[in-house]
Amino acid sequence: MSNSSRLSVGFQEIIKRTGTQIRVQYFTSTIGSVYDDDVTWTQSGGNLWTSGVVLPLSTQRGSSESILVEQGKLINDDRRLFLHGSLILTGSEMTVTIRVGSGVGSSAPMENYSMLDFDIRNDISNTPIYRKVFIRRIGGTGSLLGEA
């Protein structure tokens, strides 16, 4: 087994031990006939259930995340989500929402997040190891129809 494969398997083990269940949904947007019409979001495809590790942003001075906060690209309440690198989360016309928590047999509430426009994928010798995605919580209640 190559070093890159061992790293990939090791990262999967970390997710298995410390991760939480998440649901990934893909949405496409439709805009009406004029520029100021409302945007309609339609789910594209089914739900993807996987696991990931959700952590708060690093507040250490000089860290890449604190610099992104200073630049206004992230806010302090955003989160980091670490996933296996082989997951595809982007597309030319897709918006991704992420629901953290399974909601089954858990006292922790499920929360909805939207994926921000940039993520970091780490590969070694063309083997995907992990993907770091920045996510932002979507409002309180009523942000998505049918969602609690």
Side-chain angles (χ1 to χ4, degrees):
M1 183 183 277
S2 68
N3 286 338
S4 57
S5 295
R6 283 197 296 268
L7 280 171
S8 180
V9 168
F11 188 76
Q12 286 175 318
E13 185 65 26
I14 291 170
I15 289 177
K16 187 182 346 176
R17 290 182 185 196
T18 63
T20 185
Q21 190 173 27
I22 63 169
R23 179 184 72 188
V24 179
Q25 294 177 300
Y26 298 91
F27 291 88
T28 56
S29 65
T30 305
I31 301 175
S33 59
V34 291
Y35 71 94
D36 62 348
D37 279 354
D38 289 335
V39 175
T40 304
W41 295 98
T42 306
Q43 185 172 352
S44 174
N47 295 328
L48 169 67
W49 287 95
T50 187
S51 294
V53 178
V54 179
L55 297 171
L57 295 178
S58 171
T59 57
Q60 182 178 4
R61 184 166 171 75
S63 70
S64 61
E65 293 159 15
S66 68
I67 292 171
L68 289 170
V69 170
E70 289 175 10
Q71 292 174 344
K73 295 179 180 179
L74 295 176
I75 60 174
N76 290 323
D77 291 336
D78 290 343
R79 301 278 182 254
R80 298 177 287 176
L81 172 61
F82 292 91
L83 301 163
H84 191 269
S86 63
L87 291 173
I88 298 172
L89 296 176
T90 59
S92 59
E93 296 296 324
M94 297 286 187
T95 296
V96 178
T97 63
I98 297 170
R99 175 173 262 189
V100 175
S102 66
V104 178
S106 173
S107 61
M110 293 186 293
E111 294 181 328
N112 290 310
Y113 292 85
S114 63
M115 190 178 95
L116 301 179
D117 288 337
F118 53 96
D119 67 332
I120 300 166
R121 180 177 158 172
N122 291 285
D123 298 341
I124 296 177
S125 302
N126 292 326
T127 300
I129 306 300
Y130 73 91
R131 181 181 300 270
K132 178 168 77 169
V133 179
F134 297 101
I135 56 177
R136 181 169 294 156
R137 187 166 188 275
I138 299 173
T141 57
S143 295
L144 297 173
L145 286 176
E147 301 292 331

